[in-house]
Amino acid sequence: EAGVTQSPTHLIKTRGQQVTLRCSPISGHTSVYWYQQALGLGLQFLLWYDEGEERNRGNFPPRFSGRQFPNYSSELNVNALELEDSALYLCASSGEVEQYFGPGTRLTVT
Amino acid sequence: GENVEQHPSTLSVQEGDSAVIKCTYSDSASNYFPWYKQELGKRPQLIIDIRSNVGEKKDQRIAVTLNKTAKHFSLHITETQPEDSAVYFCAGPWDMRFGAGTRLTVKP
């Protein structure tokens, strides 16, 4: 069974640009979570999608947004990139409560 | 959302010793308590979890205990080995907000 996949693996953007990150959950999982992990720090909750709906969002500005598609895959969009957005962005999926993480997308903003 | 506090932030033990990491939560309705391990450069992985209808769960050298009255749950690692060195996270239920993490170092 394939695990959670994310694309791209690495990304370099310039301040002010926009970026889209993608996540495909484990087959059968309907929930997708997005987290930001700055270097050496903890997991900061960004967004939770379930059955195509946004269920909750963390304490991030509106320039962080996303969506979930009918096939339960998800996108995270970040507008007007700032230097402090440089981080590892992790996606996780769950069927019930157990979360399974993808490998992450490393975003560098210069 | 759920507030989850995790202590300590760093923990250093000698190989073979035990390690205990504790998380406290605020929502009395919480009923699922997971622990994740993140090795350097890797993704977090679920290592053990417990539901509110039991007080303790063991899996080889790791165990999780739950005290619903005091609203805390703990990760116990016995006979620690160098490969246990990692960052450990607890999480709250529902939207799965994570504790700040504990960096465990096991010295050979």
Side-chain angles (χ1 to χ4, degrees), chain B residues 1-107:
Chain B
E2 173 71 72
N3 292 322
V4 180
E5 294 189 5
Q6 183 174 345
H7 298 281
S9 57
T10 61
L11 181 59
S12 182
V13 299
Q14 206 67 38
E15 182 177 0
D17 289 350
S18 295
V20 181
I21 305 169
K22 182 177 174 180
C23 275
T24 59
Y25 60 95
S26 58
D27 186 354
S28 299
S30 300
N31 61 3
Y32 175 68
F33 307 91
W35 285 94
Y36 291 79
K37 175 183 180 181
Q38 187 177 27
E39 297 176 82
L40 189 63
K42 296 188 177 180
R43 72 190 79 180
Q45 290 197 306
L46 178 69
I47 55 171
I48 195 167
D49 57 15
I50 193 170
R51 297 185 190 253
S52 60
N53 57 347
V54 297
E56 183 177 7
K57 182 178 178 180
K58 287 184 179 179
D59 183 3
Q60 299 183 342
R61 295 186 298 107
I62 60 173
V64 55
T65 58
L66 172 63
N67 184 326
K68 291 210 74 179
T69 303
K71 295 184 185 176
H72 65 74
F73 59 110
S74 299
L75 176 69
H76 304 255
I77 307 175
T78 58
E79 301 172 31
T80 54
Q81 301 169 3
E83 52 264 39
D84 295 329
S85 296
V87 178
Y88 292 82
F89 295 98
C90 62
W94 312 124
D95 57 18
M96 301 299 281
R97 293 171 196 256
F98 283 73
T102 297
R103 184 173 300 279
L104 173 65
T105 302
V106 180
K107 295 179 284 187

Side-chain angles (χ1 to χ4, degrees), chain A residues 35 37 56 97-99 101, chain B residues 36 38 43 51 95-96:
Chain A
Y35 296 91
Q37 188 173 39
N56 207 344
V97 287
E98 299 89 348
Q99 284 197 350
F101 283 83
Chain B
Y36 291 79
Q38 187 177 27
R43 72 190 79 180
R51 297 185 190 253
D95 57 18
M96 301 299 281

Side-chain angles (χ1 to χ4, degrees), chain A residues 42-76:
Chain A
L43 295 158
Q44 301 302 314
F45 169 68
L46 273 162
L47 290 159
W48 171 25
Y49 291 96
D50 183 57
E51 298 281 0
E53 300 288 330
E54 182 181 301
R55 301 297 182 183
N56 207 344
R57 68 178 288 129
N59 296 323
F60 281 84
R63 60 190 185 84
F64 287 84
S65 65
R67 56 180 172 166
Q68 186 178 34
F69 298 98
N71 66 355
Y72 304 117
S73 66
S74 178
E75 285 183 350
L76 173 69

Side-chain angles (χ1 to χ4, degrees), chain A residues 79-102:
Chain A
N79 294 321
L81 283 166
E82 300 179 1
L83 297 178
E84 51 265 36
D85 296 334
S86 294
L88 179 68
Y89 288 84
L90 288 159
C91 164
S93 76
S94 72
E96 293 187 6
V97 287
E98 299 89 348
Q99 284 197 350
Y100 299 90
F101 283 83

